Amino acid sequence: MPRLSTRILLFLSSYAPLFGILAFKAHPDSMWLVYGLAAVAIVSPIGLLLYVTQWLPSKAEITITAKEVTPMDGEAVSYFVFYLFPFLDVSLNSFTKAAPMVILLIVMLIIYVNSNMMYVNPMLNLFGFHFFEVENENGKVYGLIARDHYIRPDTSFLIHPTKNYVALKKE
């Protein structure tokens, strides 16, 4: 499982559109909230893109043979339920009205970082990446980020692995 900081980055980036919608809803009632939400909505996808295109490729390369491959981004539709919350006309202009949304986001964060939801990230899809769970010939399981739509079992390819079992498939 990836480090906590990576899981939080994946969480924030996966809900970046939600934070952007909430920023528009908070305007003009609370400008500090607008700026904070807008910053998360902008910075987290950039951080995700840098993580996938700069940090992961800087890792050593190894060749693996995929014994089993399971696509993990098919459940991205489940995220859209949470994108509907801002349209329920919840006001963010007072603490007592915003607190339930904050509590919900904290609960979502805890569930996200402690489960396999991190494998489902709509922003990865928007950037053209897909997430797979790949078991290699030795039984080691990786969370694989790849531009491929499909990876056939029993194929060999280069990856950039991390010590936390997240890897980027070399193009």
Side-chain angles (χ1 to χ4, degrees), residues 3-163:
R3 282 186 290 176
L4 181 62
S5 59
T6 302
R7 289 181 280 163
I8 290 172
L9 172 65
L10 288 168
F11 169 79
L12 292 174
S13 65
S14 69
Y15 287 105
L18 175 64
F19 296 129
I21 293 167
L22 290 173
F24 278 107
K25 284 211 43 121
H27 186 270
D29 297 330
S30 177
M31 291 312 289
W32 66 270
L33 187 58
V34 170
Y35 294 135
L37 290 169
V40 171
I42 293 167
V43 172
S44 62
I46 292 170
L48 176 68
L49 196 55
L50 290 172
Y51 175 75
V52 172
T53 62
Q54 303 296 314
W55 189 80
L56 281 178
S58 71
K59 300 296 176 189
E61 295 176 0
I62 63 169
T63 301
I64 66 165
T65 300
K67 186 174 109 180
E68 286 188 37
V69 180
T70 307
M72 299 300 288
D73 57 6
E75 298 176 27
V77 175
S78 63
Y79 276 83
F80 294 109
V81 171
F82 288 106
Y83 294 143
L84 296 176
F85 282 121
F87 300 107
L88 296 176
D89 204 27
V90 176
S91 176
L92 301 175
N93 62 358
S94 74
F95 176 77
T96 56
K97 292 180 180 179
M101 183 68 79
V102 171
I103 291 168
L104 176 64
L105 286 171
I106 290 170
V107 169
M108 287 170 27
L109 171 66
I110 292 167
I111 291 169
Y112 187 92
V113 300
N114 291 313
S115 72
N116 284 340
M117 282 183 69
M118 68 187 158
Y119 293 129
V120 184
N121 189 318
M123 295 307 292
L124 282 173
N125 292 111
L126 287 175
F127 292 140
F129 293 96
H130 301 278
F131 218 113
F132 299 89
E133 189 172 88
V134 176
E135 182 179 339
N136 72 4
E137 65 277 9
N138 301 323
K140 192 173 193 179
V141 178
Y142 292 94
L144 183 70
I145 300 169
R147 289 213 183 258
D148 305 74
H149 293 279
Y150 175 76
I151 298 175
R152 197 174 68 229
D154 299 318
T155 56
S156 295
F157 47 85
L158 285 171
I159 64 169
H160 301 280
T162 67
K163 63 181 177 183

